[in-house]
Amino acid sequence: MKKLLLSLVAVFCFGILFAREWRCRGVVTDSCHRTPVPYAVVYVHRTPFGTVADNLGRFSLSAPDSVRVDTLVVAAEGFELRYLAASDIRDHGEANIRLIPDAARRLQPEIASKIAESPNSPLKMVAKIAHGIIDDWLPLGDARTNKFDLGRIQTFPTVNPVEGFRLRLGAASNARLSPRFFVKGYVAYGFKDKKPKYRGEAAYSFDEKAYHENEFPKNNLRLVYENDIYAPGDAHPRDANDFLLSAYRLAHNQMTYRRFADLSYEREFQNGLAPTLWLRKSRIRAQSNLLNMLPHTDDNTPSNRQTLNLAQAGFLLRYAFREAYLQEKRKRYSVEMLSPVLLLGYSAGTFNGPENNSPYHRLDFSAQKRFLLGNAGRLDVVGEFSKLWNIAPVPLLLFPAQRMEHAIENKGSFLTQSLEFPADEQYVLRATFVAEELFLSGTEVSEGLHAREFFSMKIAYGKLNEKNYPLDNRGIYPLPPMSCRYNEIPYVEGSLGITGIFGLLRVEYVHRFTHRDTPNALLGLLRVDIAL
């Protein structure tokens, strides 16, 4: 019996000895930008013991005391491998392990640099321009201490039918001014309409930020006041006026001037759930072909038919299954592009229709997914559904180009006129295939410019109920001359081209397959666009 007891005590003592563990925890950050490095690998050198940080760079590592823990190794794609003494981080609370970005961290600037390797390269100037456009914001003052940035470079020059040539200049504060309170704004001027435009916004972040308020995860209260142009058929109502180099390509005389105040609260959770709640009061004033966008009423003055006053409240709920970002200054690059992303939006409000407070309700749903097709390339697919209730004037109807925000390829329709296919119930499918091994694979064009072939298809179908179709009815909102119904036939267009030129440009030919006999239909187009 005594031997049995001694044996049990020995087993218990050995159990305690081997149950003891070496532990550490901390966060992995970018040494340059002080932002988290998601999914970094932390392991004990020359052992099988390790862990993977979460999407906020946080990790917890343990190993049995029987294992000799001298050195930890920290690795992440796009960063230099780091070795550090285990004794430096054990028992020191939460360690901050900083990784140095690798020279090849940012693919697009690296490509531009390769183009200009030779000091006499004729493409050196092109590379510098590409760098500036990709960076988008310039520091006002010393880049190490500046409190404001100048931008956005991509929207500095634009062209549209109403303003003609447009110049825009903006500025935004960063965390050096305040890690919680941020201001941003721009002023713009169109040389054709000779009208100044502007936007100002103030945001309060409930969490301290490393550089700007939109770092993941967001937790912001934001107030925006904007007075600018707006093309109802070209942009989703909650899109910002952040178009690249050219804007409103097909919105000839189908645009409005919009002034609004918007209060929103946006929150991103670590699990990928991101709700936004918002209130907005807008005044939309039509011009040219949209002058009579409201019906004739007892007060039949032109100004009352040209101005739409709208008060709304709504929410946007986004769910990204594995959301994580690499973040540097004002940019954040999605790390996980293969997981589905779902968006659900709803807005309700009133406007100055036939009655003083005519109701307005809109529902939007969108889903995106990227598929990797082996060595062939990748396929990006986006599906969208939108629906309106109640009678609505033209600026509040649905159109094929009113896409929701997506991280993957999600270009709008290019050959439809801005207000060509109005609907109050709409279905849209967009698919883009970017090749990795096709005709350009292995060529100097492919390797030097990182250019890739791509093919895309866009299909839209919608319904316009009789309540929103004029039929010479005095109480129905008039549609502009270019608007027409789908008539049971979906709109289909496709394109093929080359993307990623200089890490920046996209060249394509777009072809219209259906509704080719509609008045003034654009049947095909060769176009150059920005592919960021």
Side-chain angles (χ1 to χ4, degrees), residues 316-388:
L316 175 65
L317 184 64
R318 188 183 84 247
Y319 183 68
F321 285 72
R322 280 173 54 85
E323 188 165 33
Y325 298 93
L326 283 175
Q327 304 177 108
E328 51 184 63
K329 287 208 168 179
R330 295 195 177 275
K331 288 186 175 293
R332 63 182 200 175
Y333 305 93
S334 181
V335 172
E336 175 54 63
M337 300 290 287
L338 299 180
S339 296
V341 177
L342 307 177
L343 295 97
L344 177 65
Y346 180 78
S347 62
T350 60
F351 63 93
N352 57 320
E355 303 173 359
N356 275 337
N357 295 305
S358 295
Y360 168 78
H361 298 269
R362 173 170 176 159
L363 175 72
D364 292 284
F365 175 76
S366 179
Q368 75 170 36
K369 179 73 174 76
R370 170 169 288 180
F371 302 90
L372 294 183
L373 305 180
N375 294 329
R378 69 173 190 264
L379 177 66
D380 293 339
V381 180
V382 176
E384 298 174 346
F385 168 74
S386 300
K387 184 174 178 59
L388 291 180

Side-chain angles (χ1 to χ4, degrees), residues 293-304:
M293 65 181 178
L294 294 179
H296 293 230
T297 62
D298 292 338
D299 187 358
N300 201 27
T301 61
S303 61
N304 284 338

Side-chain angles (χ1 to χ4, degrees), residues 338-532:
L338 299 180
S339 296
V341 177
L342 307 177
L343 295 97
L344 177 65
Y346 180 78
S347 62
T350 60
F351 63 93
N352 57 320
E355 303 173 359
N356 275 337
N357 295 305
S358 295
Y360 168 78
H361 298 269
R362 173 170 176 159
L363 175 72
D364 292 284
F365 175 76
S366 179
Q368 75 170 36
K369 179 73 174 76
R370 170 169 288 180
F371 302 90
L372 294 183
L373 305 180
N375 294 329
R378 69 173 190 264
L379 177 66
D380 293 339
V381 180
V382 176
E384 298 174 346
F385 168 74
S386 300
K387 184 174 178 59
L388 291 180
W389 286 268
N390 314 108
I391 303 174
V394 173
L396 302 185
L397 292 177
L398 308 172
F399 298 93
Q402 290 182 341
R403 63 193 184 279
M404 297 182 73
E405 188 71 24
H406 287 277
I408 64 174
E409 291 275 355
N410 185 32
K411 299 293 183 180
S413 301
F414 294 120
L415 299 183
T416 56
Q417 295 187 65
S418 181
L419 303 177
E420 188 171 357
F421 293 106
D424 46 34
E425 182 176 324
Q426 181 174 266
Y427 307 82
V428 178
L429 178 65
R430 315 179 202 276
T432 301
F433 172 73
V434 179
E436 287 296 330
E437 293 189 2
L438 211 58
F439 302 111
L440 293 180
S441 179
T443 66
E444 290 186 8
V445 174
S446 174
E447 299 304 320
L449 305 184
H450 199 66
R452 297 290 184 268
E453 301 98 331
F454 76 93
F455 309 90
S456 69
M457 185 70 67
K458 303 169 185 68
I459 304 172
Y461 178 73
K463 301 176 182 178
L464 187 63
N465 294 317
E466 295 299 331
K467 63 186 178 183
N468 279 320
Y469 193 63
L471 296 178
D472 297 326
N473 190 327
R474 181 179 172 85
I476 299 292
Y477 301 99
L479 294 178
M482 74 291 298
S483 296
C484 61
R485 277 179 158 180
Y486 285 94
N487 292 326
E488 308 301 326
I489 300 174
Y491 170 78
V492 181
E493 73 173 42
S495 65
L496 59 92
I498 301 174
T499 188
I501 304 172
F502 305 131
L504 180 67
L505 298 178
R506 166 179 177 142
V507 180
E508 65 183 315
Y509 171 74
V510 192
H511 185 80
R512 181 171 178 150
F513 291 99
T514 61
H515 292 281
R516 294 174 60 85
D517 56 349
T518 57
N520 302 315
L522 190 58
L523 305 182
L525 179 68
L526 181 65
R527 59 188 305 277
V528 179
D529 197 9
I530 302 297
L532 290 179

Side-chain angles (χ1 to χ4, degrees), residues 166-414:
R166 164 186 167 120
L167 292 178
R168 168 176 148 173
L169 188 64
S173 70
N174 59 50
R176 295 181 186 129
L177 182 68
S178 169
R180 291 181 181 268
F181 182 73
F182 300 86
V183 293
K184 184 189 299 183
Y186 67 77
V187 292
Y189 185 78
F191 286 84
K192 183 178 178 181
D193 67 347
K194 296 181 171 52
K195 291 181 181 292
K197 291 88 180 176
Y198 51 86
R199 175 185 173 102
E201 60 181 274
Y204 178 79
S205 173
F206 292 92
D207 304 317
E208 289 194 358
K209 298 299 182 182
Y211 197 83
H212 68 102
E213 75 276 15
N214 290 326
E215 291 167 1
F216 180 77
K218 296 181 189 177
N219 188 10
N220 300 334
L221 185 66
R222 189 185 305 269
L223 177 64
V224 176
Y225 188 82
E226 179 179 298
N227 179 22
D228 210 332
I229 57 172
Y230 169 60
D234 265 10
H236 190 276
R238 291 197 59 78
D239 274 355
N241 265 316
D242 284 340
F243 296 93
L244 307 182
L245 299 184
S246 62
Y248 305 120
R249 290 170 293 268
L250 300 173
H252 300 291
N253 298 319
Q254 300 162 34
M255 299 174 66
T256 67
Y257 295 102
R258 182 177 64 171
R259 178 180 298 177
F260 68 81
D262 187 287
L263 178 66
S264 64
Y265 173 70
E266 48 193 342
R267 180 73 187 269
E268 293 175 330
F269 292 96
Q270 187 180 357
N271 62 6
L273 194 64
T276 299
L277 303 174
W278 55 271
L279 299 169
R280 175 177 287 192
K281 190 168 184 180
S282 311
R283 180 184 181 187
I284 302 175
R285 185 171 179 81
Q287 56 83 39
S288 193
N289 287 341
L290 288 182
L291 285 179
N292 292 323
M293 65 181 178
L294 294 179
H296 293 230
T297 62
D298 292 338
D299 187 358
N300 201 27
T301 61
S303 61
N304 284 338
R305 299 200 305 275
Q306 297 169 19
T307 303
L308 177 66
N309 297 312
L310 179 64
Q312 296 170 277
F315 71 85
L316 175 65
L317 184 64
R318 188 183 84 247
Y319 183 68
F321 285 72
R322 280 173 54 85
E323 188 165 33
Y325 298 93
L326 283 175
Q327 304 177 108
E328 51 184 63
K329 287 208 168 179
R330 295 195 177 275
K331 288 186 175 293
R332 63 182 200 175
Y333 305 93
S334 181
V335 172
E336 175 54 63
M337 300 290 287
L338 299 180
S339 296
V341 177
L342 307 177
L343 295 97
L344 177 65
Y346 180 78
S347 62
T350 60
F351 63 93
N352 57 320
E355 303 173 359
N356 275 337
N357 295 305
S358 295
Y360 168 78
H361 298 269
R362 173 170 176 159
L363 175 72
D364 292 284
F365 175 76
S366 179
Q368 75 170 36
K369 179 73 174 76
R370 170 169 288 180
F371 302 90
L372 294 183
L373 305 180
N375 294 329
R378 69 173 190 264
L379 177 66
D380 293 339
V381 180
V382 176
E384 298 174 346
F385 168 74
S386 300
K387 184 174 178 59
L388 291 180
W389 286 268
N390 314 108
I391 303 174
V394 173
L396 302 185
L397 292 177
L398 308 172
F399 298 93
Q402 290 182 341
R403 63 193 184 279
M404 297 182 73
E405 188 71 24
H406 287 277
I408 64 174
E409 291 275 355
N410 185 32
K411 299 293 183 180
S413 301
F414 294 120

Side-chain angles (χ1 to χ4, degrees), residues 112-128:
S113 296
K114 284 183 178 180
I115 297 170
E117 281 178 353
S118 170
N120 299 318
S121 170
L123 296 177
K124 194 174 184 68
M125 183 58 67
V126 175
K128 288 183 177 180

